[in-house]
Amino acid sequence: MLISGLLLALTIGIGTAPAAHAATIGPGFGSVDDVGILGSYIGPDGTQVYCMDLGAPGPWGNTTGPVTVSDLESQSGSRLTETDLAKLNYVMAKWGQSGDPHVTAAIQLFVWSIADPVHYNQHGMSGDDYYITRAPAANRPQILANLAQMRAEANANHAVNPQVALSITMTDQYAGTLTVSASPASLSGTVTLTNAVFADGQSSRTLGPGSFPITGTPVDGVPSYQIEAAASVPSSGLGARVNLYDTPGSQRLLGGASPMGLDAHAQSPVIELDFQPTITTQVSSRFVAEGDTFRDQVTVGVSKGTWIHLDGKPIPVVTTGTLYGPFDEQPTEADTAPTGAPIAGVVELELTGTGSYAAPETITATESGFYTWVWQIDKRAQGDVAKYLTDSFTDRFGQVAETSIVPFQPIAASKANQRLVVPGDAVTDTITVSSSNGVWLKIDGEYVPVMFEGTAYQVPGTLPPMQAPAIDPAAVPVGTVTVTATGPGTYTSPEVVLPNAGFVTWVWQMRLASQSDGVRDYIASDWADEYGIPVESTSVRHPVEITSQLREYNVHDGGRAFDTIVTSGFPANHPDFTGDGYWGPDAKEVTHTVYGPFATDTVLTDDLDLTDQPELTSIITPARNGVYQIGYTDEDRITPTKPGYYVIVSTFEGDDRVQPFQSSPADVRERFYVPETPAAELPVTVITQAAPAALVGEPFQDTALVQGTVPEGASLVFRAYGPQPEGETPVCDVEPFFTSQQIPVPQAGVYYSGNTAAQSAGNVYWVETLYDVDGEVLSEGKCGAPGEATVVTNGEELKVTTKAVPNVVLGNPAHDIAIVTGPIPEGTSLVFEAYQQDGDEPVCDAENRVFDTLENPIAVTRPGEYRSAEVVFEKIGTYYWIETLLNAEGESIHRGICGAPGETTTVSEVQITPNYPDTEAPPSELAQTGANGWLIGLGAYGALALLASGGALLFGRRLAKRREAAGFVREEDGGEEIVTLEELLDQ
């Protein structure tokens, strides 16, 4: 727009003459008395003035003035034009007060040439040439040069009517142009702006004609304003006017007119204002917990103008904050939100000026994710004040500063990959991981890695665990593994070996402290699943052991066989568990099937297929730990009807807590034989084995195996002597402290002394005596014989007994078992060693050691059975085992004896079976004696048959060798070795 100021009119006034004084001569050349004056006079007001009328008397009278005039006649009667007056004014105003005579002389020539041109040029030549002669010749060129300059400038710059004009043109509400026009163009003056500044930031400048950029500076908050410009230009030497000095009767004097003020003013139309509010935000917290509210700090600014006020109050502007999310990672910054972006909520905020505002806390974090704010001001929604807004405003989507993160909660659902295993098996668990509160977050496009820790716990007791939030305090960790999940999905854990029977349950947890620093803040909190979840549990099924001992090996045709079944390994509460919906109920029964007859026992091997084998009978016992006598009632009688070999096979089908079990048809202890009646009689022998140890007051007894042909009316008496101090020579020629009843011995078999007890500690020595019907001694033991001493102690002590696998076929594995009782020092461990024997003397040193577990000792933490690793011996022969207990420092606190009973494994090409001579048949009737507990598996007539066939030499040599090694030899046995009944059974 064009804004023009009003032209300022030239104002001319007639001054009041001062008091009259005679003029005097000023700077110049010449003199009054000679050629005349060429220069200035000093007027009554003290200014330099110049002669107007050539030839008139000098102004030596009473000179008055000055009076400013714009109308003037020359002395020749012609009126001076406005141009003449303007030029005279310009030259006299600019140079008239000079003290240089060269200047004042030039001015005088200029004044005469215009104010009195007739007289000036009446000498037949130019007045310049004529009057210049008043000045010395040397000064004339300078005077004339000054005169020429004065004429040139006067022609160019004189102003008959000087004017200054202003105009304001605006390109927008703030940017504009001030245009200054002047006549003459040389004019310049001070221009002052109101509500605006020039480019240099100032509101006032000295300007000449031209266009100048300006910027509006309205008062903050006003809805409209105007820009004003005012110019004040000094007008010295401008205008068709001069100052006149009059001396009556004398020449008139002229001077430059008094300066007049030139003013100009311009004003813009009313400029309506608007402003542009802007918003930046910063979330109050980068991370927001689930359930908390989102908080945003809004900072309001203005990118254009200032916040407009009406009636002294800032106008209200409503802004809308939209919280987009959840996203699984930081959104990419963009001008607008993607189409279909999820919205968590919207809030409104009223703005009344620049500054900081807290967004309403009305949006709750309900799930994990990245949430980003976008704030918007919609001009169309502002009602009456919309006109004051330049435009709508929307900030950018996805700015990091405007984004909050709700951490995700990793969880895992696991399932044991192995439902049923056995001790020593390795198991794994499969975990399916996810976020329970929304998306699994990402950083830079990659899922946040989370480490889960899984621990397999041995459940206390024998029943499945009860599901509970907390881990059973009695549960024992078996192994801990970790799985790092790189996003939701399914993962398989590393293996954990389960050494012990029972139930094992996995518990998985995720701990913040275990996560790396860079991801910990993205995870909500610790997590752990419940203890005892059925699908997270594994049953390490108990290995059941069913051992049995037939009372006799030989049973006559039509007779009865008796068996003692020892069932162990079942949980103590088996078979009472009825199931819980996930784990099945206990199997209730163990079946003992009598297979036979077989023509030869060579078919009774471990891998014998029993499907189509002959069955004599089957007997059921409970699937519960205990000792079961079978064959003693009509319901479970075992009566073979045909000669041949029979074997009892015990079978347990297995259940969720116990492994299936089937005894081997090759077990010689489960065989009996129905032979033909033998015709030979064999000598009577007695082998004994006393209880090796007992506590004071605890019952113990002696056991005797009577073999050979027992005469009718024979009886057996046991006597116990002591207790005697350990280390002293056994004494048995005193009164025994215990004498058994006279026990009838109708036939070969096993006989027991009955229980006795000692009331003090020491060694008790047993002597057994076999009498005939007349009381004559048939056989009698010796005082202190090996195997015939019971060590009585005051309290419980650490004890180790062993039972190695007695016989194996070459290529099959063997092992040793140590039964540890008594108090066990902390840090105790157990190692096994096996030694191959090449001669009759037991030798156990490094040269013949073929197996050991020295590098892998077994931790002994409580009383119980501990089994060595399996070993397959490479050669046929005899191997002696030695067990050693070590304390925490690795020092031996117990070591077995080389060749000790129960510590021998014999390796043969085929399974060892009884071998009877072809010429004689075994006896047809055997003794049916014995008591509760284990029974000897090698019947008396079996022993007789062995003796008759040369077996007596085998036993005799071994017995003699061992007794010699023990330092004791019985006269009547000719050096036969004292061995245990179990050892004879094993052989």
Side-chain angles (χ1 to χ4, degrees), residues 257-344:
S258 301
M260 68 176 183
L262 289 180
D263 296 322
H265 182 268
Q267 185 179 51
S268 72
V270 174
I271 304 171
E272 297 293 338
L273 292 178
D274 55 39
F275 70 102
Q276 182 58 61
T278 62
I279 293 176
T280 59
T281 69
Q282 173 68 56
V283 292
S284 301
S285 176
R286 175 69 168 163
F287 293 91
V288 178
E290 182 181 358
D292 288 352
T293 56
F294 291 96
R295 294 180 297 166
D296 199 19
Q297 196 69 24
V298 178
T299 301
V300 179
V302 173
S303 64
K304 173 191 172 186
T306 59
W307 203 283
I308 290 177
H309 290 58
L310 295 178
D311 299 328
K313 296 180 180 179
I315 65 171
V317 176
V318 176
T319 181
T320 300
T322 301
L323 184 62
Y324 288 92
F327 304 96
D328 62 358
E329 62 181 319
Q330 174 67 47
T332 301
E333 189 171 333
D335 289 336
T336 59
T339 302
I343 295 176

Side-chain angles (χ1 to χ4, degrees), residues 136 148 151 220 240 253 518 521 651 752 817 852 983:
R151 286 173 174 160
D220 288 352
L253 298 177
D521 290 339
T651 303
Y752 298 89
I817 295 177
D852 66 68
E983 191 172 11

Side-chain angles (χ1 to χ4, degrees), residues 589-664:
E589 300 173 342
V590 177
T591 302
H592 311 280
T593 303
V594 183
Y595 290 94
F598 297 94
T600 175
D601 60 359
T602 58
V603 300
L604 300 179
T605 60
D606 289 329
D607 56 358
L608 176 63
D609 184 0
L610 298 173
T611 305
D612 298 322
Q613 302 304 327
E615 295 183 19
L616 177 63
T617 187
S618 290
I619 299 165
I620 302 298
T621 59
R624 185 187 300 276
N625 293 332
V627 179
Y628 301 93
Q629 305 281 352
I630 63 173
Y632 289 89
T633 67
D634 289 341
E635 288 76 15
D636 63 2
R637 67 184 294 144
I638 303 171
T639 303
T641 57
K642 297 178 182 179
Y645 293 90
Y646 293 81
V647 65
I648 299 178
V649 176
S650 299
T651 303
F652 176 67
E653 66 180 4
D655 54 37
D656 281 355
R657 294 203 294 162
V658 180
Q659 302 175 32
F661 175 86
Q662 178 174 289
S663 63
S664 172

Side-chain angles (χ1 to χ4, degrees), residues 185-271:
S186 60
L187 288 177
S188 66
T190 301
V191 178
T192 301
L193 299 176
T194 301
N195 292 331
V197 294
F198 293 102
D200 61 0
Q202 301 299 316
S203 61
S204 180
R205 284 185 63 183
T206 298
L207 300 177
S211 295
F212 306 94
I214 61 174
T215 300
T217 57
V219 176
D220 288 352
V222 298
S224 63
Y225 77 111
Q226 286 179 290
I227 295 175
E228 295 183 3
S232 177
V233 181
S235 60
S236 176
L238 298 179
R241 63 199 185 108
V242 293
N243 279 350
L244 177 65
Y245 296 81
D246 184 52
T247 304
S250 299
Q251 61 178 318
R252 293 171 294 179
L253 298 177
L254 296 178
S258 301
M260 68 176 183
L262 289 180
D263 296 322
H265 182 268
Q267 185 179 51
S268 72
V270 174
I271 304 171

